[in-house]
Amino acid sequence: MNACGDVVVEPRYREASAFSHGLAAVRAGRRFHYVDTAGDIAIAGPFKPAGPFSAVGLAAVRTGADRPAGYIDREGRMAVEPRFDEALAFGAQGAAPVRVGDRWGLVDTVGGWIVEPRYARIDEFGEDGRAYRVEAGRPSDGYGYLDAAGRTAVRGGPGLSPVMACGLVRDDDAGLRFLDRAGRPAFDGRFEWADDFDPLSGACVARRGGRWGVLDAVGGFRAVPFREPVTVSGDVVGFGPGQGVAPFLDRDGTVVFVNRAAEVVARLGAGSPLPAVLSRGPAEHFLVPEARDGGVVGLATGLLAAEPVGFFPYSLVFGGRRSVTAVPGAGGEGGARLHTGSLLVLAESHVSEELWGAYGFLADQEGEAFAAYFTDLAGQLAGHFGEPEHDTVRLRIGDGNTARVWHVNGRRLVLEVYSQCGDGDFEHQLRLAALA
């Protein structure tokens, strides 16, 4: 099909790849051949499989699934004899990654070694003339990019992205930054989070100074006034391949699309069902709206008047949410720490290992939010019940507990922030309790 939607080659092949330099691999039966733009066979196989032709006019092929790989030219002649366990496409500068056994090297267009096999991994060369590589046996600093002569142009650690685009690569080894194709810092300062650059848009989504925005390969960072970028299953959608725009969730629930200059080019209607994932606030944290809206003194008064029961606070990291007033057969810490009184969990936050691993700034962001909630509510309670004691009660021992305690009519009123880390995830809870 051409750009106008007209069928140029009638469907007659079981499988077909995209055209590359005028030729496309197609499967007829169990073997591959190459056809021209008219659909006629230009190079008869049989190949199994057949790679795309590169700018240097060579394509990686095998004559059988279990046979070595080599390279043919556009006439179908074997230009580099099959002797590799795996062969990737040539870059425009005339180098191709190949594997022999469990090691990778680089060959030139006649099959000579540019770099003999010694790397654990070498990817194809990109448009920037660089190939991502990993040195064998060096898990801390053996990452980088090769040029077509086999020299290391960029060196880094495991935080160096395998995606280079627009001459820029993301490096998250010691505070997130971008490096150019020579390994030099590309922008002033560091970022809290950033995506890989999209080569077609020339931009990516990034976060700096607590604000989300667009990082343009030429124009630098431009903050946007929106709440956060749209995510799907925890992944920022960003510019994506060929979209040219990135979606953000606005504070009124609309979804806005911005270009590389951070200009709004489209907006979807209000009332979007998309939840806030990376910028949770009081609306997402508070389970008891009255506490958020100035009613914490009334809630405390109700707890102090309630009939005491046995309880042990739940943990979202260890055990998940469950009834805090019924702990059947509670043993260990639960049995030893069972309280008598009444409890409300006013607010809570749980960040999964996957989300925290991708967005490290969430730890500080969530912790600061709960510290602010605690300070506000403690001030309201102190204004009514007087000055409290500091940290004399722990409702449940965690990695971090901060509490204020008031003695009221023979009972102890406790406001506590509980923080806990597990196997890569973490939680915060804001609790209010009246202990008998």
Side-chain angles (χ1 to χ4, degrees):
M1 185 175 292
N2 61 21
C4 298
D6 303 319
V7 175
V8 177
V9 180
E10 293 292 335
R12 61 178 182 269
Y13 300 108
R14 298 182 63 85
E15 188 177 340
S17 66
F19 276 92
S20 178
H21 301 281
L23 295 171
V26 297
R27 181 163 68 91
R30 301 175 65 181
R31 299 290 181 172
F32 283 85
H33 310 276
Y34 288 92
V35 298
D36 58 24
T37 54
D40 298 324
I41 291 180
I43 302 174
F47 302 116
K48 188 179 182 180
F53 274 89
S54 68
V56 298
L58 300 179
V61 297
R62 298 177 190 268
T63 56
D66 298 325
R67 295 184 180 181
Y71 293 89
I72 60 170
D73 62 20
R74 290 173 54 85
E75 304 301 319
R77 298 178 298 235
M78 195 63 70
V80 177
E81 289 300 317
R83 67 180 196 274
F84 311 114
D85 294 307
E86 191 170 352
L88 303 182
F90 272 90
Q93 293 78 24
V98 295
R99 179 175 61 83
V100 177
D102 62 353
R103 292 292 183 263
W104 288 82
L106 295 178
V107 293
D108 60 24
T109 54
V110 295
W113 290 112
I114 300 172
V115 176
E116 293 191 3
R118 66 182 181 88
Y119 288 99
R121 169 181 172 181
I122 304 179
D123 293 352
E124 289 185 2
F125 282 87
E127 293 183 359
D128 300 298
R130 299 290 184 263
Y132 180 75
R133 56 82 168 153
V134 179
E135 293 188 52
R138 297 185 62 174
S140 62
D141 64 350
Y143 302 80
Y145 283 83
L146 300 175
D147 64 17
R151 299 178 296 244
T152 295
V154 181
R155 186 181 295 277
L160 185 69
S161 173
V163 178
M164 178 180 286
C166 306
L168 299 166
V169 60
R170 180 171 47 85
D171 178 27
D172 198 11
D173 279 322
L176 197 152
R177 62 178 180 168
F178 283 88
L179 305 177
D180 66 16
R181 61 196 300 273
R184 300 172 299 225
F187 303 102
D188 292 334
R190 306 278 178 153
F191 298 87
E192 293 151 19
W193 188 89
D195 205 355
D196 293 316
F197 272 88
D198 171 50
L200 297 177
S201 303
C204 69
V205 170
R207 177 185 164 102
R208 170 181 273 180
R211 300 186 66 186
W212 289 100
V214 173
L215 182 60
D216 181 272
V218 177
F221 181 74
R222 298 181 178 95
V224 297
F226 312 120
R227 184 169 186 179
E228 64 177 53
V230 169
T231 57
V232 174
S233 299
D235 296 326
V236 170
V237 174
F239 284 88
Q243 293 176 186
V245 293
F248 284 81
L249 181 64
D250 205 349
R251 301 182 188 281
D252 63 357
T254 60
V255 175
V256 294
F257 293 84
V258 303
N259 60 19
R260 65 182 292 176
E263 300 166 334
V264 176
V265 297
R267 182 183 290 268
L268 299 181
S272 168
L274 297 177
V277 175
L278 305 177
S279 59
R280 300 171 188 167
E284 290 78 29
H285 290 146
F286 273 87
L287 305 177
V288 183
E290 297 95 314
R292 184 187 67 195
D293 298 333
V296 68
V297 171
L299 293 169
T301 301
L303 288 176
L304 290 165
E307 186 71 23
V309 297
F311 72 86
F312 180 64
Y314 62 75
S315 166
L316 297 170
V317 169
F318 299 115
R321 187 182 293 110
R322 62 178 178 175
S323 171
V324 298
T325 59
V327 191
E333 185 189 19
R337 299 284 296 174
L338 195 65
H339 301 286
T340 301
S342 50
L343 172 71
L344 274 178
V345 178
L346 304 179
E348 66 182 22
S349 170
H350 176 252
V351 176
S352 68
E353 179 180 3
E354 294 76 15
L355 204 61
W356 190 14
Y359 308 99
F361 62 84
L362 287 174
D364 289 340
Q365 178 178 285
E366 297 294 283
E368 290 167 3
F370 274 76
Y373 302 152
F374 177 82
T375 299
D376 178 37
L377 298 190
Q380 294 181 45
L381 292 170
H384 185 81
F385 296 106
E387 288 302 309
E389 298 174 349
H390 287 215
D391 301 318
T392 56
V393 171
R394 288 188 180 183
L395 299 175
R396 176 175 180 142
I397 297 174
D399 293 321
N401 292 71
T402 303
R404 299 293 180 266
V405 182
W406 293 265
H407 292 268
V408 183
N409 298 327
R411 301 187 69 176
R412 288 172 296 169
L413 178 68
V414 182
L415 179 71
E416 179 186 66
V417 168
Y418 165 86
S419 301
Q420 180 69 57
C421 290
D423 295 329
D425 57 346
F426 69 87
E427 69 175 305
H428 298 290
Q429 288 188 41
L430 183 60
R431 300 167 175 156
L432 185 64
L435 303 181

